C-alpha cells in the first residue's frame, strides 16, 4: 500500500475512533472520574466536526478546482435550515403557544396557515433529503450560470460572497417564513430522542464523525480519479483542457454541486448539536473563516482542511473565553503567518508530499496487471 | 497575389475573407488561406501580423467579424467553441509550453488521449491496456520514455514543448496548429523538433507558426507570409525570400 492509501484509511479511523472514545468517556465513566468527558465537550467536538465537513467541501472546490468560494457557508446554512425546520415541526404542541402545526414564531406573527414550503418537514427523512437537495440545487443553478459564462478568479469569489450576503438579508426578513432575525430554536427532540439527553448528544457526535469520514473517503475517491486529475488540470491550465476537448464548466459544476451537498450535510448535523440556526450563519465572515481553516491546514490536501477546521476552532474556543478581545487579531495573525511561512499549510509540516496538491504519482497503479 | 484558391472540395482547411478587430485594431484583415489534406504549412510574419489571432479563429477562441472558416469542406468552425473544434480533430499547441505541471508526463498524455470527455466517464475511468500501449508509442515518438513518471513541471523547456506536441498527437487530430515550437530551444533541440514535425506530417496536416527562419528552411514546405492581418506572399521559402514586398516588411525599416 502506498502512503496515500494508508493515509486515506487512517483518517476515517482516527475521526470515528476519536469520537467513539469521547462518547465512551461521557457515557461509561461517572461524572466524578478524572477522565469523564462532559456533554459540553461532546457538543463542542461535534460542532468542530461539522465545521470540518464545511472545510472539506471548500477544499474540494478551492484546492482542486481553483474555485475560491467566499460563500460556502451558505450551503452549510441551507442544510442547517432544512434540519432546523424539521426540529421546529417536531416541537409540536410543546411550544409556548401549544400550536400543533405552526411553529411559535408563526403564531407570534399572527399567521394562520403553514406556508407551502414548510410542508413535509414534519418527516425526518424528507428534511434530511432537503438538506442535500436544496444546497445542491442552488449550487447547480449558480454554478451553471457562473461557469458557463466563464466567470472565474476574483470575480467568481465576489459573486459567491454576494450570494451568501443576499441569503443573509433574505433570511432576516420575517415574512420569508424562517423565523427572521431569531431563526429557528428551542428544539425538543430528534426522531423521538430528547436533544438534551447525553445519549442523544453522543449519538449525534458519532453520526457526525461517520458522515465526515464518509465525506472524506468520497472526496478522496473523486480527487484520485481521472476526474480529479482533470480538475487539477482545469485549475492550473484551463485553456489547455478546453483545446484538448474538455468542457471545464461541466467539471467545475460537478465538483461544486458535490461540495455543496457535503457542506449541506455538515450544516444539517450542526443544528441539532448547537440548538439554533439563524441568519447569522449566512454572514460572509463565516465563509471567509472557512477559507482560513483550509489555508491553515493545507489547501488541496483534504486532510489539511479537516485538521485546519478542528485546530482553528479549538483555538477560537480557547481564545474567546480566555482572551476574548484577542481572538480576531490572533486569527488574522494566524492567516498571515501561515501564508508567509507555511504556504502549503500545516499538513506540509508532517508530510513530504509534493507541493502540488496532488495524490502521489501512481506508477502503473491503476493499470490492470 | 496568394496561391490559387481553388474549389473547397480537396481542402482540409479553408479561410476566406476573415477579419477580426479588437477595439478598432484590425488583427486580421480579409485573410484567406487554403490548406490541402496532408499538407504542412509554415506561417511567418512580423510581430502583430495576426499569426496567433489566426490560430484563435481556427480553434474557436475568437469569433471573426467577417469571413468563412471551413474545415473538411463542410464544417463551419465559426459556429463552434473550443471543445467542439478539438473533438472534430484540430489540435493546438500554444506559444508558451502549456502542460499540466503537477501531473506526471504519463498522466499528461493520458488526459490528452482521444476518448470520452464527459465528467461521469472520467469519474469511473480506469486506465486500459490500449491506453497504456498508446502512451508507450507517444513517449517513443516524443523521446520522453525515461521521463514517464516525472512531474511535467520538472521537465526542461524543450521537453515541455515536446510533451505538448505529444499531447496534441494523443488527441488523434487531423490537423495540428503549432505556435512557435522552437522558441527558446537549443540548436540541437530545434533540429530534433524539425525532424519530429516532418515525422508527424507523414500522417497529419500541420500548420506551424514560427519566427526562426533557419527552422522554416529546415522544414522545407510551402510558406505563407502574413503582414498586417492578411497574406503578403505565399510559396516556397526561396520564392518568398526573394519577394520584394517581403524583403521590405522584414528589412525595410
Amino acid at each position: 500500500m502506498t502512503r496515500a492509501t494508508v493515509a486515506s484509511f487512517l483518517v476515517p479511523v482516527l475521526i470515528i475512533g476519536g469520537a467513539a472514545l469521547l462518547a465512551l468517556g461521557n457515557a461509561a465513566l461517572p461524572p466524578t472520574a478524572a477522565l469523564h468527558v462532559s456533554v459540553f465537550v461532546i457538543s463542542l467536538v461535534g460542532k468542530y466536526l461539522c465545521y470540518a465537513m464545511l472545510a472539506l467541501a471548500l477544499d474540494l472546490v478551492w484546492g482542486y478546482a481553483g474555485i475560491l468560494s467566499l460563500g460556502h457557508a451558505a450551503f452549510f446554512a441551507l442544510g442547517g435550515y432544512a434540519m432546523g425546520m424539521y426540529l421546529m415541526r417536531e416541537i409540536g404542541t410543546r411550544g409556548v403557544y401549544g400550536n400543533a402545526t405552526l411553529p411559535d414564531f408563526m403564531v407570534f406573527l399572527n399567521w394562520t396557515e403553514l406556508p407551502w414550503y414548510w410542508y413535509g418537514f414534519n418527516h425526518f427523512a424528507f428534511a434530511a433529503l432537503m438538506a442535500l437537495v436544496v444546497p445542491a440545487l442552488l449550487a447547480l443553478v449558480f454554478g451553471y450560470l457562473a461557469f458557463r459564462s466563464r466567470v472565474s478568479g476574483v470575480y467568481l469569489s465576489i459573486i459567491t460572497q454576494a450570494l451568501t450576503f443576499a441569503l443573509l438579508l433574505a433570511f432576516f426578513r420575517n415574512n420569508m417564513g424562517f423565523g427572521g432575525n431569531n431563526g429557528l430554536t428551542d428544539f425538543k427532540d430528534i426522531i423521538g430522542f430528547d436533544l438534551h439527553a447525553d445519549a442523544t448528544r453522543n449519538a449525534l457526535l458519532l453520526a457526525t464523525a461517520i458522515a465526515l469520514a464518509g465525506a472524506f473517503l468520497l472526496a478522496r475517491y473523486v480527487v484520485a480519479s481521472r476526474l480529479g486529475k482533470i480538475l487539477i488540470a482545469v485549475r492550473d491550465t484551463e485553456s489547455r483542457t478546453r483545446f484538448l476537448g474538455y468542457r471545464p464548466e461541466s467539471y467545475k459544476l460537478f465538483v461544486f454541486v458535490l461540495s455543496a451537498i457535503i457542506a449541506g450535510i455538515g450544516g444539517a448535523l450542526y443544528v441539532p448539536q448547537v440548538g439554533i440556526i439563524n441568519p447569522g450563519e449566512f454572514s460572509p465572515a463565516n465563509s471567509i473563516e472557512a477559507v482560513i481553516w483550509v489555508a491553515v491546514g493545507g489547501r488541496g490536501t483534504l486532510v489539511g482542511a479537516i485538521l485546519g477546521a478542528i485546530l482553528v476552532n479549538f483555538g477560537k474556543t480557547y481564545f474567546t473565553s480566555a482572551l476574548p478581545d484577542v481572538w480576531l487579531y490572533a486569527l488574522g495573525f494566524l492567516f498571515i503567518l501561515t501564508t508567509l511561512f507555511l504556504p502549503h499549510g500545516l499538513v506540509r509540516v508532517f508530510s513530504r508530499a509534493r507541493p502540488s496538491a496532488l495524490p502521489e504519482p501512481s506508477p502503473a497503479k491503476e493499470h490492470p496487471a | 497575389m496568394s496561391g490559387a484558391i481553388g474549389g473547397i472540395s480537396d481542402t482540409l482547411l479553408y479561410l476566406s475573407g476573415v477579419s477580426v478587430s479588437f477595439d478598432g485594431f484590425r488583427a486580421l484583415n480579409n485573410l484567406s488561406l487554403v490548406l490541402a489534406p496532408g499538407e504542412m504549412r509554415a506561417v511567418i510574419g512580423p510581430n502583430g501580423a495576426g499569426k496567433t489571432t489566426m490560430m484563435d479563429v481556427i480553434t474557436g477562441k475568437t469569433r471573426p467579424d467577417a469571413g468563412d472558416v471551413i474545415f473538411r469542406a463542410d464544417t463551419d468552425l465559426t459556429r463552434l467553441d473550443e471543445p467542439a473544434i478539438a473533438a472534430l480533430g484540430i489540435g493546438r499547441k500554444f506559444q508558451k509550453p502549456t502542460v499540466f505541471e503537477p501531473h506526471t508526463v504519463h498522466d499528461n498524455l493520458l488526459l490528452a488521449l482521444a476518448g470520452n470527455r464527459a465528467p461521469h466517464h472520467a469519474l469511473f475511468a480506469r486506465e486500459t491496456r490500449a491506453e497504456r500501449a498508446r502512451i508507450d508509442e507517444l513517449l517513443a515518438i516524443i523521446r520522453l520514455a525515461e521521463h514517464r513518471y516525472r512531474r511535467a513541471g520538472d521537465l526542461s523547456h524543450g521537453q515541455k514543448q515536446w510533451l505538448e506536441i505529444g499531447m496534441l498527437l494523443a488527441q488523434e487530430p487531423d490537423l495540428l496548429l503549432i505556435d512557435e515550437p522552437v522558441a527558446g530551444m537549443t540548436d540541437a533541440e530545434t533540429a530534433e523538433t524539425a525532424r519530429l514535425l516532418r515525422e508527424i506530417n507523414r500522417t497529419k496536416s500541420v500548420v506551424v507558426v514560427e519566427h526562426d527562419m533557419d527552422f522554416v528552411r529546415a522544414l522545407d514546405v510551402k510558406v505563407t507570409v502574413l503582414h498586417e492581418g492578411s497574406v503578403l506572399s505565399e510559396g516556397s521559402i526561396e520564392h518568398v525570400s526573394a519577394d520584394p514586398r517581403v524583403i521590405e516588411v522584414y528589412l525595410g525599416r
Side-chain angles (χ1 to χ4, degrees):
Chain A
M1 281 207 294
T2 65
R3 288 163 55 101
T5 329
V6 173
S8 57
F9 283 104
L10 199 60
V11 171
V13 168
L14 280 177
I15 294 169
I16 298 176
L21 276 181
L22 287 174
L24 206 65
N26 174 265
L29 296 175
T32 48
L35 287 174
H36 175 77
V37 180
S38 73
V39 73
F40 172 77
V41 172
I42 295 290
S43 290
L44 201 61
V45 173
K47 198 170 89 169
Y48 294 167
L49 296 188
C50 292
Y51 288 147
M53 286 186 78
L54 173 58
L56 184 76
L58 183 63
D59 194 26
L60 257 184
V61 292
W62 184 32
Y64 292 88
I67 304 164
L68 174 53
S69 169
L70 293 181
H72 236 56
F75 302 119
F76 183 86
L78 285 172
Y81 264 99
M83 182 56 69
M85 287 162 80
Y86 160 74
L87 296 172
M88 264 336 242
R89 304 259 342 238
E90 187 77 351
I91 297 171
T93 53
R94 289 167 292 176
V96 176
Y97 298 105
N99 190 310
T101 320
L102 294 188
D104 279 351
F105 73 89
M106 290 186 193
V107 181
F108 183 76
L109 292 171
N110 292 320
W111 291 12
T112 51
E113 267 179 60
L114 195 70
W116 62 267
Y117 47 83
W118 276 76
Y119 291 171
F121 279 92
N122 47 332
H123 301 293
F124 175 80
F126 180 78
L129 186 67
M130 286 302 119
L132 317 183
V133 169
V134 173
L137 271 181
L138 178 68
L140 187 71
V141 172
F142 177 87
Y144 176 78
L145 295 172
F147 302 143
R148 204 187 54 137
S149 318
R150 299 193 186 176
V151 179
S152 62
V154 173
Y155 301 100
L156 185 64
S157 300
I158 291 171
I159 305 180
T160 55
Q161 181 99 102
L163 172 77
T164 196
F165 192 65
L167 286 167
L168 169 78
L169 296 180
F171 274 74
F172 258 126
R173 289 154 40 93
N174 275 330
N175 48 13
M176 272 287 280
F178 295 107
N181 191 16
N182 299 320
L184 312 175
T185 189
D186 290 332
F187 310 134
K188 306 291 185 217
D189 56 33
I190 182 166
I191 36 178
F193 295 101
D194 181 7
L195 272 174
H196 303 286
D198 284 11
T200 313
R201 295 303 182 115
N202 287 332
L204 281 169
L205 172 66
L206 277 177
T208 310
I210 291 166
L212 175 61
F216 171 79
L217 287 175
L218 179 67
R220 266 257 0 140
Y221 175 81
V222 168
V223 301
S225 72
R226 193 176 294 185
L227 182 139
K229 288 175 182 168
I230 296 163
L231 279 178
I232 288 170
V234 167
R235 178 194 72 188
D236 293 348
T237 330
E238 184 168 336
S239 59
R240 173 41 69 231
T241 59
R242 212 173 255 135
F243 288 116
L244 281 179
Y246 290 102
R247 295 193 177 277
E249 56 274 20
S250 38
Y251 284 81
K252 289 183 184 177
L253 194 58
F254 169 82
V255 77
F256 197 62
V257 171
L258 176 67
S259 169
I261 291 174
I262 294 176
I265 299 173
L269 286 160
Y270 174 82
V271 169
Q273 298 185 81
V274 298
I276 183 168
I277 174 85
N278 63 32
E281 298 296 337
F282 286 108
S283 126
N286 283 20
S287 295
I288 292 169
E289 254 187 63
V291 171
I292 297 180
W293 307 334
V294 176
V296 167
R299 175 193 170 197
T301 60
L302 300 182
V303 183
I306 295 175
L307 192 71
I310 295 173
L311 287 181
V312 174
N313 279 294
F314 178 76
K316 182 177 184 173
T317 306
Y318 175 76
F319 275 106
T320 45
S321 61
L323 303 156
D325 299 333
V326 186
W327 166 242
L328 275 179
Y329 296 101
L331 186 67
F333 259 112
L334 186 64
F335 190 54
I336 293 168
L337 291 177
T338 312
T339 316
L340 281 179
F341 300 111
L342 292 173
H344 301 296
L346 282 173
V347 284
R348 201 62 70 213
V349 180
F350 305 113
S351 116
R352 288 182 298 107
R354 301 218 64 131
S356 52
L358 262 190
E360 287 173 336
S362 50
K365 197 183 70 187
E366 49 174 63
H367 176 63
Chain B
M1 260 312 280
S2 56
I5 296 176
I8 59 171
S9 52
D10 192 37
T11 58
L12 183 68
L13 183 68
Y14 173 83
L15 275 74
S16 172
V18 175
S19 295
V20 174
S21 297
F22 299 115
D23 300 324
F25 170 72
R26 300 210 95 179
L28 291 183
N29 190 2
N30 200 23
L31 172 75
S32 297
L33 186 133
V34 177
L35 191 76
E39 185 182 351
M40 170 140 68
R41 176 74 59 90
V43 176
I44 62 172
N47 282 328
K51 304 182 300 281
T52 300
T53 307
M54 181 186 82
M55 296 225 172
D56 287 348
V57 166
I58 298 170
T59 53
K61 192 180 174 207
T62 302
R63 296 253 175 282
D65 304 326
D68 296 319
V69 184
I70 310 289
F71 184 60
R72 278 198 213 116
D74 57 355
T75 310
D76 181 358
L77 295 183
T78 61
R79 294 172 187 280
L80 302 172
D81 66 358
E82 300 100 314
I85 290 173
L88 278 177
I90 298 182
R92 176 181 188 178
K93 205 198 97 42
F94 295 98
Q95 194 170 331
K96 183 172 161 275
T98 310
V99 296
F100 305 134
E101 306 226 335
H103 291 318
T104 60
V105 170
H106 176 95
D107 283 349
N108 268 271
L109 292 171
L110 178 68
L111 296 187
L113 284 179
N116 192 333
R117 297 298 201 225
H120 58 83
H121 177 263
L123 186 58
F124 303 110
R126 284 279 171 275
E127 189 179 309
T128 63
R129 277 169 195 281
E131 283 174 329
R132 191 169 179 88
R134 181 69 184 129
I135 292 171
D136 288 341
E137 281 172 32
L138 290 164
L139 285 168
I141 294 173
I142 58 172
R143 314 262 151 117
L144 290 177
E146 68 269 40
H147 301 290
R148 183 175 209 140
Y149 295 118
R150 276 181 79 193
R151 270 174 97 243
D154 295 339
L155 297 176
S156 76
H157 177 82
Q159 289 170 329
K160 282 184 198 170
Q161 298 275 35
W162 290 336
L163 174 57
E164 195 179 357
I165 292 174
M167 290 164 74
L168 251 64
L169 291 174
Q171 275 178 270
E172 311 285 345
D174 294 332
L175 170 63
L176 284 85
L177 307 175
I178 301 186
D179 203 350
E180 298 202 21
V182 299
M185 277 190 178
T186 63
D187 288 350
E189 285 172 333
T190 301
E192 182 70 2
T193 305
R195 187 201 57 75
L196 177 60
L197 289 185
R198 278 198 304 268
E199 192 180 317
I200 290 168
N201 182 228
R202 286 212 294 264
T203 52
K204 296 172 191 311
S205 307
V206 183
V207 174
V208 190
V209 164
E210 192 43 75
H211 271 305
D212 186 326
M213 291 307 286
D214 291 334
F215 176 71
V216 173
R217 215 163 256 123
L219 289 179
D220 190 25
V221 294
K222 188 170 171 185
V223 177
T224 298
V225 186
L226 292 192
H227 178 56
E228 291 177 349
S230 37
V231 175
L232 183 71
S233 182
E234 202 164 69
S236 69
I237 184 79
E238 291 77 21
H239 171 82
V240 300
S241 357
D243 188 328
R245 286 171 305 176
V246 176
I247 295 170
E248 193 193 316
V249 165
Y250 268 95
L251 305 168
R253 278 162 289 176

